[in-house]
């Protein structure tokens, strides 16, 4: 039962809920004290409660820095400050400590103390946005706000150039060499007035064309030129730069919105990881957990510092004899039997798992083989269908030729060998040759071949007579036998 209760309180979500409740309670108490006013010269008991509460928050910050996975303190600080909310924690701590110091000093100004503590309260409320990371719809909006702050910084840097240029130029044109104006008023005209003119306020200074310098020494001298500068400035700032800022915000929103699920899962992972490492008690009771962790850490340091107790018979740091037996005793027969049995059981389990894995792989290969055989069968069936289609086309072509040219009268038996394996190929070859203009009879071809052979024999006989070779004189043959000679 105790283990279940302990496991429940160590769940990151439970720790997160307790910290959220603690944060709301702290902000409510802080707001109540600040609204009541700092009427007394010394802090009230509620203010001391807030101070102790804040100290517990500072100890948690120190614990987080110390638990960072780094060797040196500088690396731990840089790794801890890589998180945006940790930077917010540093700023609010510095501002709140400044307000507490001003509060504890008796002669400090009351308005400065209230302003400092009010700024710290604003940062504490901004830190409350961190709890929205657990929500699927509000968490990505925090990412959008962070990225839009970067876009806003770029916009302000560009706007500042136009604002200062217009402010200085308009002040020099409207009030040249004004010695009566104070430095505060001059800076207000250079910086503040161009800023509020972006929103349509403070435009009457350039519209005062009927001002009398005899009555009012602060009258503008060149209101026409100043009005022209104002028109150009408002066109650039309101039309160009503000639309540029809106376009940048729109691009940032679209980029984050397309990957909302990814951003939220990453935020949730970081939140769970943060509260998984936190102590279970919320502030201000978290200081008890910090004291326990500090005591545990010091105890480990003291035990590790006494390493000589494990090396020698006499401990010089503890001044006691070593009670540890450094020589491990030999294993008994029962222990050896247990170890051997355990190894055999684990070996059998491993072999069984290996065999099951091989069977699973064999079954998978058989499935792949069956699938390939099915694909091959389908390919062969498709090829057979294509062959049948070709035969049908050849038959239709033969029928068409017979209808157009009539039945063939003579069959050329000397057709190409490529047509011999095709049904009715001689007929197709004959029609093809007829279409190409080869309309000569086979009898004419035969006579032409006989004449060519006779001429070749006469040429060979004449050459032998010229050379005087009579040993190989051919015997005369009957002229009626050329056909048998050719056939042989």
């Amino acid at each position: 039962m105790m283990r279940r209760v302990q496991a429940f309180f160590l769940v990151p979500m439970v720790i997160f809920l307790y910290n959220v409740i603690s944060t709301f309670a702290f902000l409510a108490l802080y707001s109540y004290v600040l609204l009541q006013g700092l009427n007394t010269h010394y802090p009230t008991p509620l203010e001391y409660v807030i101070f102790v509460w804040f100290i517990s928050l500072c100890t948690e910050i120190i614990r987080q820095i110390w638990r960072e996975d780094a060797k040196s303190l500088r690396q731990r600080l840089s790794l801890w400050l890589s998180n945006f909310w940790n930077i917010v924690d540093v700023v609010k701590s510095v501002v709140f400590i400044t307000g507490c110091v001003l509060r504890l000093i008796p002669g400090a100004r009351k308005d400065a103390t209230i302003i400092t503590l009010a700024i710290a309260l604003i940062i504490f409320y901004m830190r409350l946005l961190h709890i929205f990371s657990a929500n699927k719809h509000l968490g990505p909006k925090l990412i959008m706000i962070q990225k839009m702050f970067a876009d806003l910084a770029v916009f302000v840097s560009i706007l500042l150039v136009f604002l200062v240029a217009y402010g200085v130029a308009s002040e020099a044109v409207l009030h040249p060499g004004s010695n009566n104006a104070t430095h505060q008023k001059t800076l207000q005209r250079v910086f503040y007035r161009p800023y509020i003119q972006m929103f349509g306020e403070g435009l009457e200074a350039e519209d005062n064309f009927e001002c009398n310098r005899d009555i009012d020494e602060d009258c503008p001298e060149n209101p026409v030129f100043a009005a022209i500068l104002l028109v150009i400035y408002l066109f650039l700032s309101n039309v160009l730069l503000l639309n540029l800022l809106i376009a940048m915000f729109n691009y940032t929103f679209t980029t984050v919105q397309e990957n909302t699920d990814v951003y939220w899962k990453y935020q949730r992972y970081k939140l769970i990881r943060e509260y998984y490492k936190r102590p279970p008690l919320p502030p201000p009771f978290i200081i008890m957990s910090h004291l326990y962790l500090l005591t545990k850490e010091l105890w480990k340091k003291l035990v590790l510092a006494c390493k000589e107790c494990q090396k020698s018979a006499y401990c010089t740091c503890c001044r006691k004899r070593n009670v540890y037996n450094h020589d491990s005793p030999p294993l008994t027969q029962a222990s050896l039997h247990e170890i051997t049995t355990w190894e055999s059981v684990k070996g059998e389990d491993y072999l069984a798992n290996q065999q099951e894995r091989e069977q699973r792989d064999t079954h998978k290969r058989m499935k792949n083989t069956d699938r390939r055989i099915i694909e091959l069968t389908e390919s062969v069936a498709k090829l057979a269908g294509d062959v049948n289609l070709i035969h049908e086309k050849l038959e239709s072509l033969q029928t068409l030729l017979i209808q157009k040219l009539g039945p063939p009268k003579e069959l050329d038996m000397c057709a190409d060998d490529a047509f011999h394996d095709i049904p009715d190929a001689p007929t197709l070859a004959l029609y093809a040759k007829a279409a190409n203009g080869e309309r000569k009879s086979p009898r004419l071809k035969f006579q032409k071949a006989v004449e060519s052979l006779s001429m070749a024999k006469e040429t060979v006989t004449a050459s032998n007579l010229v050379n005087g070779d009579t040993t190989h004189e051919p015997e005369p043959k009957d002229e009626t036998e050329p056909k048998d000679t050719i056939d042989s």
Side-chain angles (χ1 to χ4, degrees):
M1 184 63 183
M2 292 300 298
R3 290 184 178 179
R4 293 183 179 179
V5 173
Q6 184 181 1
F8 173 77
F9 283 103
L10 292 178
V11 174
M13 188 55 63
V14 175
I15 299 174
F16 172 74
L17 293 176
Y18 286 158
N19 279 269
V20 169
I21 295 172
S22 174
T23 304
F24 277 111
F26 175 76
L27 291 177
L29 183 61
Y30 191 1
S31 303
Y32 174 77
V33 172
L34 200 62
L35 291 175
Q36 291 295 322
L38 307 177
N39 298 323
T40 59
H41 296 284
Y42 298 98
T44 60
L46 289 179
E47 295 180 18
Y48 281 113
V49 171
I50 294 176
F51 295 162
V52 174
W53 206 315
F54 177 75
I55 290 172
S56 67
L57 296 176
C58 292
T59 55
E60 174 60 21
I61 292 175
I62 295 172
R63 187 201 64 81
Q64 291 178 6
I65 297 174
W66 185 259
R67 290 293 184 180
E68 290 292 340
D69 190 11
K71 295 182 179 180
S72 62
L73 181 60
R74 183 177 180 181
Q75 292 177 353
R76 290 175 181 175
L77 281 173
S78 61
L79 189 61
W80 184 76
L81 290 175
S82 61
N83 191 351
F84 172 76
W85 296 110
N86 293 336
I87 298 175
V88 176
D89 289 336
V90 172
V91 174
K92 76 178 183 182
S93 300
V94 171
V95 177
F96 187 80
I97 290 173
T98 305
C100 293
V101 170
L102 293 175
R103 177 57 176 160
L104 295 175
I105 296 176
R109 295 182 58 179
K110 181 180 177 181
D111 53 351
T113 305
I114 294 177
I115 291 173
T116 306
L117 293 176
I119 295 174
L121 180 64
I122 293 173
I123 302 175
F124 272 106
Y125 274 107
M126 289 179 60
R127 186 65 172 84
L128 194 63
L129 294 173
H130 180 54
I131 67 175
F132 294 155
S133 301
N135 189 276
K136 186 175 183 179
H137 302 285
L138 298 178
K141 301 301 184 292
L142 298 179
I143 301 294
M144 294 178 187
I145 293 174
Q146 293 178 11
K147 293 183 177 294
M148 285 179 181
F149 267 114
D151 297 338
L152 188 62
V154 175
F155 168 76
V156 170
S157 61
I158 298 174
L159 177 64
L160 193 62
V161 176
F162 292 92
L163 189 143
V164 174
Y166 167 72
V168 174
S170 63
E171 178 65 18
V173 169
L174 292 174
H175 307 281
S178 179
N179 297 324
N180 297 326
T182 60
H183 294 290
Q184 181 179 359
K185 193 172 183 179
T186 303
L187 292 176
Q188 182 180 1
R189 290 173 179 174
V190 171
F191 294 101
Y192 179 69
R193 187 177 64 188
Y195 175 74
I196 64 172
Q197 284 178 346
M198 289 176 54
F199 307 101
E201 300 292 336
L203 302 177
E204 63 276 0
E206 283 75 4
D207 296 338
N208 196 359
F209 296 98
E210 299 179 355
C211 182
N212 190 359
R213 294 187 60 86
D214 297 334
I215 301 174
D216 188 3
E217 296 180 356
D218 201 18
C219 288
E221 294 190 2
N222 301 300
V224 177
F225 186 74
I228 296 174
L229 289 179
L230 177 63
V231 170
I232 298 174
Y233 168 70
L234 291 178
F235 177 79
L236 293 175
S237 60
N238 288 7
V239 177
L240 180 63
L241 295 181
L242 286 179
N243 284 285
L244 174 63
L245 179 63
I246 293 171
M248 293 169 65
F249 284 171
N250 186 25
Y251 175 75
T252 302
F253 177 83
T254 306
T255 304
V256 177
Q257 189 68 22
E258 290 176 354
N259 304 308
T260 300
D261 190 60
V262 177
Y263 280 113
W264 175 72
K265 288 180 179 178
Y266 181 67
Q267 279 184 317
R268 191 173 180 84
Y269 161 73
K270 291 175 63 177
L271 188 67
I272 293 174
R273 183 181 177 184
E274 176 185 354
Y275 283 92
Y276 178 79
K277 298 179 180 179
R278 276 200 176 190
L281 295 178
F285 308 106
I286 197 173
I287 196 169
M288 299 171 61
S289 299
H290 293 157
L291 292 175
Y292 169 74
L293 294 175
L294 180 61
T295 305
K296 186 178 179 180
E297 191 71 22
L298 291 176
W299 176 256
K300 287 184 179 180
K301 293 293 183 181
L302 292 175
V303 172
L304 293 177
C306 190
K307 292 182 179 180
E308 296 184 9
C309 293
Q310 302 177 3
K311 296 181 180 179
S312 61
Y314 186 77
C315 181
T316 56
C317 61
C318 298
R319 303 297 179 182
K320 295 180 181 179
R321 290 192 177 276
N322 190 3
V323 296
Y324 298 101
N325 187 7
H326 301 286
D327 297 330
S328 58
L331 295 175
T332 61
Q333 191 68 23
S335 300
L336 288 174
H337 179 70
E338 290 179 0
I339 293 174
T340 305
T341 305
W342 181 83
E343 289 179 351
S344 61
V345 171
K346 290 298 179 182
E348 291 176 358
D349 293 342
Y350 173 75
L351 292 176
N353 294 332
Q354 189 72 15
Q355 186 177 3
E356 184 180 357
R357 192 180 301 110
E358 290 178 357
Q359 291 178 357
R360 193 182 302 115
D361 294 341
T362 304
H363 184 65
K364 185 177 180 180
R365 287 197 297 269
M366 291 176 64
K367 283 187 176 180
N368 292 334
T369 305
D370 293 340
R371 180 176 53 82
R372 292 175 182 174
I373 290 173
I374 292 172
E375 292 178 355
L376 184 60
T377 305
E378 293 177 355
S379 300
V380 171
K382 184 178 179 181
L383 183 61
D386 295 340
V387 171
N388 294 332
L389 183 62
I390 292 173
H391 282 297
E392 293 177 359
K393 289 184 178 180
L394 288 173
E395 292 177 358
S396 62
L397 180 60
Q398 180 181 356
T399 305
L400 183 63
L401 289 174
I402 291 173
Q403 293 176 358
K404 295 292 183 181
L405 303 176
K409 298 179 180 180
E410 295 182 3
L411 186 63
D412 190 2
M413 301 303 296
C414 300
D416 295 336
D417 295 337
F419 292 94
H420 287 170
D421 296 335
I422 302 175
D424 301 326
T427 305
L428 296 176
L430 182 60
Y431 280 125
K433 291 180 180 180
N436 292 330
E438 298 180 0
R439 300 181 179 275
K440 294 182 179 181
S441 174
R443 177 69 62 180
L444 296 176
K445 291 183 179 180
F446 178 76
Q447 293 177 1
K448 188 175 180 180
V450 170
E451 291 175 359
S452 299
L453 184 59
S454 300
M455 291 177 63
K457 288 184 178 181
E458 292 176 358
T459 304
V460 172
T461 303
S463 63
N464 291 334
L465 291 175
V466 172
N467 294 329
D469 187 5
T470 60
T471 59
H472 299 285
E473 184 177 358
E475 296 179 359
K477 294 184 180 179
D478 190 7
E479 294 181 358
T480 62
E481 298 179 354
K483 182 176 181 180
D484 297 334
T485 305
I486 294 302
D487 292 338
S488 61

